[in-house]
Amino acid sequence: MREATLDHLIAKQTDSTVPFSVGFEMTSRCNEDCSHCVRSRWMGNELTYDEIVDILEQLAAEGAMELTFTGGDPLVREDFLPIMRKSHELGFALFLFTNATLITREIAQELAKLRVQEVDISVYGVTPEIHDGITRLKGSLRRTMRGISYLDEAGIMVNVKMVLMKQNFHELPALKAMCQKNGWQFRYDYILFPRDDGSTDVWEQRISDDQIRITDRMLKDDEIQTAMVHSGLSDVAPSLPDLSVVDDPDMIPMDAWHEIEQSAALGGPMGLSESHCMLTPDNETDNELISAESIVSADEPVEETPKKKGVCSAGWNSVSITSWGEVLPCITWRMSLGNLRNESFKDIWHKSPLLERIRSLTHDDFDEACSSCGVISKCHKCPGLAYSEHRDPLLPSSDRCRATQAINILEGDNGPAEAAS
């Protein structure tokens, strides 16, 4: 029988509602000012070190195992390392989201001692003109790459994450190649969330439908080739054509893409990547969405994965906490369930009426508003994305609709019968 994956084990815990994975915003402050950032302002009144320690102890008591520190950027806090040390002392598996500009060799070595599992780092291109233009911090690319080198030197797993926008799309192949060369994980996504004040001005930076289709095919091709390498069916590592030489990547027609993909031995389309998700049963963690075993033993019986009532683990086995103590279903689903300065985590987790409502939702509830859409079965719904746009997780996200319909064309269908709006 196939060995159970982490996602499968987590899915089996759904009914027990253990807060397996916790996203903790150490701060809303950041030394960069990214053009697409969801934060419209920095929040004051941050949790103190003592308050954070108290919360960590409460989380441990409730069975939390994975702890992802994010921000803002966690390293702007002067007590960053003491918080990390205390988290390690409490037995959490530690993950870190940062821009790496403040990582020194000493900090990297300390993180290695604390057995940090992975550090996710946002990189937006391979040239300062593009990366620094997005972060709006001169010299940020140089500092980020220096931080990555220190982490790599310390033996910490590095995951480079790229948010694709119209201004950096053409640098995707070069950044991917850089990561492959250095042995860093690489993930990329094109979904841009509205800002926390509801503004959608960030959508002006979205990539085109054609670029979505190209990106989606790249992602699927990576999975297929990686699975083949792992299965021993191929010793060729995943590779991509160099689109950086094209004068205007926005204008690459799909038939031209089909030609260059053949030269790179690429495959077929895929669903959406969720680089903002820390943990969902439908999303990749360290496991490929297509396993090597599925290629070499497709007929082998596989234990059925327990079905979840909702569309993701938010509020079931994952939860997030803001830098001022608000408990959220997810880092992107920014609906307050209560504040840890006023209530215990145990009371919020087990008694919150909003959490009870979230846990009562089924796939049918999420599908109701989209029932007339012809591509509903191919849509990967994200309650956080919908909530950030409508303040209602059950309504369809216009950005998700756009992406799903663009991919649907690539897959050869005639498009939705009626697009949800």
Side-chain angles (χ1 to χ4, degrees):
M1 181 176 292
R2 191 179 304 168
E3 183 178 349
T5 65
L6 175 61
D7 284 350
H8 180 80
L9 294 174
I10 293 169
K12 292 180 70 173
Q13 297 184 59
T14 295
D15 291 336
S16 65
T17 61
V18 174
F20 179 92
S21 180
V22 180
F24 204 137
E25 295 179 346
M26 272 197 196
T27 180
S28 65
R29 293 175 290 138
C30 187
N31 60 332
E32 294 183 337
D33 182 27
C34 295
S35 61
H36 63 289
C37 184
V38 299
R39 303 289 180 266
S40 59
R41 64 192 186 283
W42 291 349
M43 299 295 294
N45 200 24
E46 287 183 353
L47 295 167
T48 66
Y49 172 79
D50 289 338
E51 287 176 318
I52 290 178
V53 169
D54 179 62
I55 292 171
L56 294 176
E57 291 173 344
Q58 293 183 56
L59 293 173
E62 286 298 310
M65 298 179 67
E66 287 189 357
L67 187 58
T68 301
F69 282 116
T70 181
D73 194 283
L75 279 90
V76 302
R77 286 191 65 128
E78 293 182 357
D79 53 4
F80 165 72
L81 282 177
I83 292 172
M84 295 294 288
R85 294 184 190 113
K86 185 62 179 181
S87 302
H88 173 71
E89 179 184 320
L90 289 169
F92 292 107
L94 298 177
F95 298 80
L96 178 64
F97 289 5
T98 176
N99 59 41
T101 59
L102 300 177
I103 296 283
T104 64
R105 178 174 279 111
E106 292 71 26
I107 289 176
Q109 292 172 349
E110 177 75 7
L111 294 178
K113 291 178 183 177
L114 298 176
R115 301 183 66 181
V116 170
Q117 302 295 301
E118 180 180 285
V119 178
D120 285 22
I121 301 165
S122 299
V123 181
Y124 302 111
V126 295
T127 62
E129 291 78 13
I130 296 299
H131 179 91
D132 295 3
I134 291 173
T135 65
R136 296 188 283 209
L137 176 65
K138 187 176 181 179
S140 58
L141 178 61
R142 176 180 55 80
R143 299 176 201 174
T144 290
M145 299 313 298
R146 179 187 60 194
I148 290 176
S149 70
Y150 290 149
L151 293 166
D152 199 24
E153 177 185 280
I156 297 175
M157 183 178 295
V158 170
N159 176 39
V160 172
K161 298 193 301 186
M162 183 183 194
V163 177
L164 294 175
M165 293 168 275
K166 62 183 181 182
Q167 60 266 48
N168 71 346
F169 179 81
H170 63 285
E171 296 210 359
L172 168 60
L175 182 55
K176 185 178 188 301
M178 178 192 298
C179 292
Q180 288 180 331
K181 179 180 179 180
N182 289 282
W184 306 327
Q185 294 187 67
F186 182 55
R187 297 174 188 167
Y188 44 104
D189 197 0
Y190 45 76
I191 295 296
L192 296 180
F193 277 70
R195 303 192 196 278
D196 55 15
D197 62 359
S199 171
T200 58
D201 65 304
V202 67
W203 285 353
E204 296 174 2
Q205 303 176 61
R206 295 187 299 189
I207 62 175
S208 68
D209 287 2
D210 278 346
Q211 290 172 328
I212 287 177
R213 288 188 279 272
I214 290 171
T215 303
D216 205 70
R217 169 147 291 192
M218 285 180 174
L219 287 161
K220 186 64 171 181
D221 297 334
D222 290 349
E223 282 192 350
I224 293 174
Q225 291 218 357
T226 299
M228 291 180 68
V229 170
H230 289 176
S231 68
L233 297 180
S234 171
D235 58 0
V236 179
S239 60
L240 286 174
D242 184 7
L243 302 186
S244 62
V245 300
V246 179
D247 290 338
D248 188 356
D250 293 359
M251 301 305 294
I252 298 175
M254 290 310 298
D255 56 352
W257 171 251
H258 293 323
E259 293 180 6
I260 55 178
E261 71 175 359
Q262 289 174 4
S263 68
L266 302 181
M270 72 161 288
L272 297 175
S273 165
E274 295 291 352
S275 64
H276 60 268
C277 280
M278 294 177 296
L279 175 66
T280 67
D282 299 317
N283 185 36
E284 61 178 340
T285 51
D286 289 338
N287 307 299
E288 288 76 29
L289 292 175
I290 299 176
S291 66
E293 293 91 338
S294 68
I295 292 180
V296 297
S297 56
D299 296 329
E300 180 183 351
V302 180
E303 182 179 351
E304 182 179 356
T305 300
K307 295 181 179 179
K308 293 181 71 65
K309 292 182 179 179
V311 295
C312 68
S313 63
W316 285 90
N317 298 111
S318 63
V319 68
S320 292
I321 299 168
T322 71
S323 61
W324 59 98
E326 296 288 341
V327 179
L328 313 173
C330 168
I331 207 77
T332 62
W333 190 347
R334 303 188 74 79
M335 177 178 69
S336 178
L337 306 173
N339 192 291
L340 293 170
R341 281 173 164 156
N342 305 319
E343 305 173 73
S344 69
F345 180 81
K346 181 177 182 179
D347 283 347
I348 294 174
W349 187 250
H350 294 288
K351 299 178 182 179
S352 166
L354 287 174
L355 264 181
E356 289 181 10
R357 170 61 176 152
I358 289 172
R359 292 167 184 162
S360 73
L361 296 174
T362 66
H363 276 270
D364 289 341
D365 293 315
F366 286 96
D367 289 346
E368 183 176 355
C370 306
S371 58
S372 63
C373 180
V375 291
I376 186 173
S377 64
K378 301 181 180 182
C379 184
H380 183 138
K381 292 181 175 63
C382 173
L385 184 59
Y387 187 83
S388 67
E389 181 179 349
H390 304 294
R391 294 300 183 262
D392 185 339
L394 299 181
L395 293 179
S397 158
S398 58
D399 207 28
R400 176 66 77 212
C401 292
R402 184 181 78 101
T404 303
Q405 290 168 21
I407 296 165
N408 185 61
I409 293 174
L410 175 62
E411 292 181 347
D413 293 338
N414 294 324
E418 181 180 340
S421 60

